Amino acid sequence: MDVLEPDLRGRPVTLYAADGGHRDRHEAEHFALELAPEASLLCTHVVREPVPHHAVSFELNGHSDFEELRDRTGGRAFRFPGQDALRGSLTVREIVASSAIDRVVGVGCTATDDTVVDTRDYVRPVYADGLLTLHVTPAVDGSAVPLEVEGAHVC
């Protein structure tokens, strides 16, 4: 089932969800990419019942019945507009200006517009409070890095 309603920026969106029961998030991502290669936004969601696994949701060309994504209260984006521009070290201001990420939030640090984030070429924001949010943590050199590292496993 699809849902057509405006997102927080006033654009109409149609969202879709699929649950292949994938225990491995990486496999769920590949499933979503095969299912909807043209999707402008792809997210994974941890589903706890009946056993922990990952489901996916996606938006097609600005157009799921997946309540978390529809309401922008959850979901981890692994494809989103502007993602390709998030390479190397960028300021928070540049990240927000060049991508669909609405805000950057520090975990264990403060993230200001001028904070430099070493993206490590791997950025996976999540929806929180209706905003696509990148969580970052402090790095040794005073910059910040994305909280999620490539190859992380679900607990």
Side-chain angles (χ1 to χ4, degrees), residues 32-155:
L33 288 167
E34 289 176 15
L35 187 64
E38 71 285 3
S40 58
L41 176 68
L42 292 164
C43 294
T44 56
H45 304 265
V46 175
V47 178
R48 300 281 179 208
E49 299 295 331
V51 295
H53 64 283
H54 298 278
V56 298
S57 60
F58 53 94
E59 178 180 300
L60 295 176
N61 299 321
H63 286 291
S64 162
D65 192 26
F66 219 126
E67 193 173 299
E68 271 189 354
L69 185 57
R70 183 191 68 222
D71 297 339
R72 305 296 202 234
T73 59
R76 172 188 160 275
F78 62 97
R79 175 186 283 172
F80 52 92
Q83 181 176 17
D84 291 339
L86 303 180
R87 303 273 183 231
S89 294
L90 302 165
T91 64
V92 167
R93 181 181 293 107
E94 291 170 322
I95 290 170
V96 172
S98 63
S99 72
I101 294 174
D102 296 303
R103 67 179 176 185
V104 177
V105 174
V107 177
C109 64
T110 301
T112 67
D113 284 346
D114 296 321
T115 299
V116 174
V117 178
D118 178 359
T119 69
R120 299 179 176 173
D121 300 340
Y122 188 83
V123 177
R124 299 298 187 264
V126 296
Y127 276 104
D129 303 321
L131 302 173
L132 192 56
T133 304
L134 177 63
H135 290 100
V136 298
T137 189
V140 176
D141 64 0
S143 66
V145 294
L147 185 62
E148 182 179 332
V149 296
E150 192 168 8
H153 299 281
V154 70
C155 297

